[in-house]
């Protein structure tokens, strides 16, 4: 508890900006703000003056900053000393990730990482259920979409896009949907949920403007908890499917599937590395997260 918010405070003090501090730390601006507010509450001291244009230190904040900066400098020196004793990262990393993303995108990169760092061992558990990292003893989780657990730290690795698509044979036989309401007349191939994500639109004096995200309930003759099986069903002309890009990109490129309702496509979802709230990650975890971020960034 006594460490919580210290790094965030020091970075904001030095950059005079929550946004720039968050960028340097690789976390969200909201996360920086929450940590500093909690720190001020714990100390019962106002450390920063905040306005819409400027962030500056209070008198108490300047005193506290000088001490905190020295503490962090000492910690950096201690970490460097330990790193020098261990020239190569080693040990076991336990991680979890969604099944298909883990199989197709993540674990091949983890394997490459292990080729480069031969003293690293990895245990991976792929699941579409949200795993408790603390109870399970996990070092790292890969999560997709909006994050709700504020007790964890997170770094954005990449993003994904969901496509609605169908085979040309299906569209030739049943027609092409041009609006969200048209989907009620089509066979929609379902995954684990009975709704799809879209952006809804509203009419304005200047035409149509994106309004808000919308969950649209759809129905059909197929419901699988397997993305690969849904792709296969779509390729065989059984219906329309909504799936992430890594399932369908090659089929869209080849023309075996056709992208539909592109104007209603939902915003890209972020892909995150999530780890327990510990500012000073072990070198092997930090190295893996940075490795993944560099190679998954798009």
């Amino acid at each position: 508890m006594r460490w919580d918010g210290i790094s965030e405070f020091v970075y904001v003090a030095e950059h005079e900006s929550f946004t720039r501090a968050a960028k340097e730390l690789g976390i969200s601006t909201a996360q920086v703000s929450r940590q500093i507010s909690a720190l001020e509450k714990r100390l019962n001291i106002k450390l920063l003056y905040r306005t819409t244009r400027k962030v500056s230190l209070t008198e108490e904040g300047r005193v506290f900053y000088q001490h905190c900066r020295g503490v962090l400098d000492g910690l950096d020196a201690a970490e460097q000393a330990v790193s020098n004793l261990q020239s190569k990262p080693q040990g076991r990393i336990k991680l979890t990730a969604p099944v298909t993303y883990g199989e197709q995108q993540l674990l091949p990169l983890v394997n490459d990482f292990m080729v480069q760092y031969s003293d690293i061992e990895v245990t991976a558990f792929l699941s579409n259920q949200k795993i408790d990292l603390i109870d399970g003893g996990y070092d790292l989780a890969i999560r997709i979409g909006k994050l709700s657990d504020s007790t964890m730290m997170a770094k954005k690795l990449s993003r994904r896009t969901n496509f609605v698509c169908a085979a040309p044979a299906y569209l030739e036989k049943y027609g092409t949907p041009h609006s969200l309401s048209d989907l009620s007349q089509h066979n929609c191939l379902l995954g684990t949920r009975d709704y799809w994500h879209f952006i809804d639109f509203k009419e304005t004096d200047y035409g149509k403007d994106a309004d808000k995200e919308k969950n649209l309930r759809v129905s059909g003759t197929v419901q699988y908890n397997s993305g690969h099986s849904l792709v296969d069903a779509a390729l065989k002309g059984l219906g329309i499917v909504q799936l992430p890009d890594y399932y369908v990109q090659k089929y869209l490129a080849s023309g075996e599937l056709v992208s539909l309702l592109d104007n209603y496509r939902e915003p890209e979802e972020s892909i995150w590395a999530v780890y327990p709230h510990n500012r000073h990650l072990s070198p092997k975890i930090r190295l893996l997260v940075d490795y993944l971020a560099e190679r998954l960034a798009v």
Side-chain angles (χ1 to χ4, degrees), residues 20-289:
R20 290 197 293 272
K23 185 176 180 181
E24 285 290 322
L25 290 166
I27 59 178
S28 69
T29 303
Q31 200 166 351
V32 171
S33 180
R34 283 196 301 269
Q35 288 296 317
I36 292 179
S37 294
L39 176 63
E40 289 178 322
K41 183 177 180 180
R42 191 168 75 248
L43 296 172
N44 196 27
I45 293 173
K46 186 175 183 64
L47 298 171
L48 298 167
Y49 293 120
R50 303 166 175 84
T51 69
T52 56
R53 295 184 177 182
K54 187 177 180 182
V55 177
S56 59
L57 289 167
T58 65
E59 182 178 354
E60 293 85 352
R62 284 193 293 272
V63 173
F64 194 64
Y65 166 76
Q66 295 296 332
H67 288 277
C68 289
R69 179 70 270 176
V71 169
L72 290 184
D73 288 342
L75 183 57
D76 288 340
E79 287 186 342
Q80 185 60 49
V82 172
S83 297
N84 291 339
L85 294 175
Q86 181 178 303
S87 58
K88 291 174 61 179
Q90 57 184 301
R92 181 169 296 278
I93 298 173
K94 187 176 182 182
L95 62 87
T96 182
V99 176
T100 301
Y101 188 81
E103 289 177 340
Q104 294 191 4
Q105 307 290 117
L106 179 71
L107 292 186
L109 289 177
V110 171
N111 292 337
D112 292 340
F113 180 80
M114 293 176 68
V115 169
Q116 186 170 341
Y117 301 100
S118 58
D119 292 330
I120 292 289
E121 302 174 13
V122 174
T123 296
F125 178 67
L126 301 183
S127 172
N128 293 330
Q129 302 299 314
K130 186 177 178 180
I131 305 296
D132 189 302
L133 300 192
I134 303 299
D135 288 349
Y138 288 90
D139 300 299
L140 182 67
I142 305 302
R143 293 189 175 150
I144 299 173
K146 295 179 181 177
L147 299 178
S148 58
D149 192 343
S150 61
T151 65
M152 295 289 156
M153 303 299 292
K155 179 170 182 174
K156 185 175 178 180
L157 299 178
S158 186
R159 57 186 184 267
R160 77 171 186 182
T161 303
N162 284 324
F163 285 87
V164 174
C165 48
Y170 175 88
L171 299 176
E172 184 177 346
K173 186 174 182 179
Y174 297 103
T176 300
H178 296 288
S179 68
L180 299 188
S181 60
D182 290 344
L183 289 175
S184 63
Q185 307 301 316
H186 286 271
N187 192 41
C188 297
L189 310 176
L190 301 177
T192 55
R193 300 175 296 198
D194 61 354
Y195 60 88
W196 289 351
H197 298 293
F198 294 99
I199 286 291
D200 202 2
F201 288 82
K202 62 180 179 182
E203 294 287 346
T204 71
D205 293 339
Y206 305 99
K208 287 185 175 181
D209 282 346
D211 185 13
K212 59 183 179 180
E213 296 179 39
K214 178 176 182 178
N215 292 332
L216 180 69
R217 195 171 297 277
V218 295
S219 61
T221 59
V222 163
Q223 185 163 18
Y224 298 149
N225 68 341
S226 165
H228 292 297
S229 299
L230 289 171
V231 170
D232 185 69
L235 289 168
K236 292 174 179 175
L238 292 181
I240 299 173
V241 72
Q242 184 183 62
L243 283 170
D245 43 23
Y246 46 81
Y247 282 104
V248 299
Q249 274 177 329
K250 66 178 180 179
Y251 302 114
L252 293 172
S254 69
E256 294 172 85
L257 291 176
V258 177
S259 181
L260 307 170
L261 302 172
D262 291 346
N263 289 336
Y264 297 91
R265 187 180 300 151
E266 66 173 334
E268 296 172 327
E269 293 182 301
S270 295
I271 299 173
W272 304 87
V274 177
Y275 39 91
H277 195 293
N278 180 353
R279 168 65 58 220
H280 302 287
L281 287 173
S282 66
K284 64 178 183 287
I285 304 300
R286 187 187 301 277
L287 194 63
L288 176 58
V289 170

